[in-house]
Amino acid sequence: PDDYDLNFKATSDLYGKMWIEDFDDFTHHQPLKWHFDEVQAAIPFPIVTGALGLEIGCGNGFDSISMAKKNPGTHLYSIDISEGVFFGQRFKGNLDNVTFLRASATKLPFEDNTFDFCYSY
């Protein structure tokens, strides 16, 4: 659309603010259950399959971090339109199988057929 850049900035700013607030809360009060764990328990097939995955709309990265910890043989690329990815990058610690990128789901910075699976919630 003609107003793509304007919409990108507005969406990025809104979610950036929300993820910053959530990040502060999560870093001081670790959740007992990860959202990813609850979703995985509710569906009859594994979300993480293969060696290379993509999470679209990762927010502050807590699902991505959970997936990476539980699947060390899989590398996960996690994108979000907001600044939340910077918090995920900082919070992941020494995990080397997750990479956070700030990008739009409508303009993915990857070639077609790159990933074994994709996850978005």
Side-chain angles (χ1 to χ4, degrees):
D2 293 336
D3 60 352
Y4 177 82
D5 289 334
L6 181 62
N7 286 331
F8 180 94
K9 179 164 178 18
T11 302
S12 174
D13 289 349
L14 172 64
Y15 281 97
K17 181 181 183 304
M18 289 170 33
W19 289 125
I20 289 167
E21 291 169 0
D22 280 352
F23 185 83
D24 185 57
D25 187 48
F26 277 118
T27 54
H28 291 96
H29 306 96
Q30 288 293 322
L32 297 176
K33 287 190 170 201
W34 295 93
H35 171 261
F36 167 74
D37 296 333
E38 293 175 353
V39 171
Q40 184 61 89
I43 61 172
F45 55 87
I47 294 171
V48 178
T49 57
L52 191 60
L54 173 65
E55 182 180 3
I56 297 176
C58 67
N60 54 21
F62 287 109
D63 277 354
S64 300
I65 291 167
S66 182
M67 282 188 265
K69 284 180 180 177
K70 292 183 178 183
N71 299 278
T74 299
H75 192 95
L76 187 64
Y77 284 87
S78 299
I79 68 162
D80 198 88
I81 198 171
S82 76
E83 294 178 355
V85 294
F86 303 126
F87 292 96
Q89 184 68 26
R90 187 173 74 192
F91 189 71
K92 76 176 191 170
N94 293 329
L95 282 174
D96 62 357
N97 63 326
V98 61
T99 301
F100 290 95
L101 301 169
R102 188 172 185 189
S104 171
T106 62
K107 292 186 177 183
L108 294 174
F110 307 104
E111 297 290 324
D112 289 349
N113 302 311
T114 297
F115 299 100
D116 299 316
F117 72 93
C118 181
Y119 166 85
S120 182
Y121 179 80

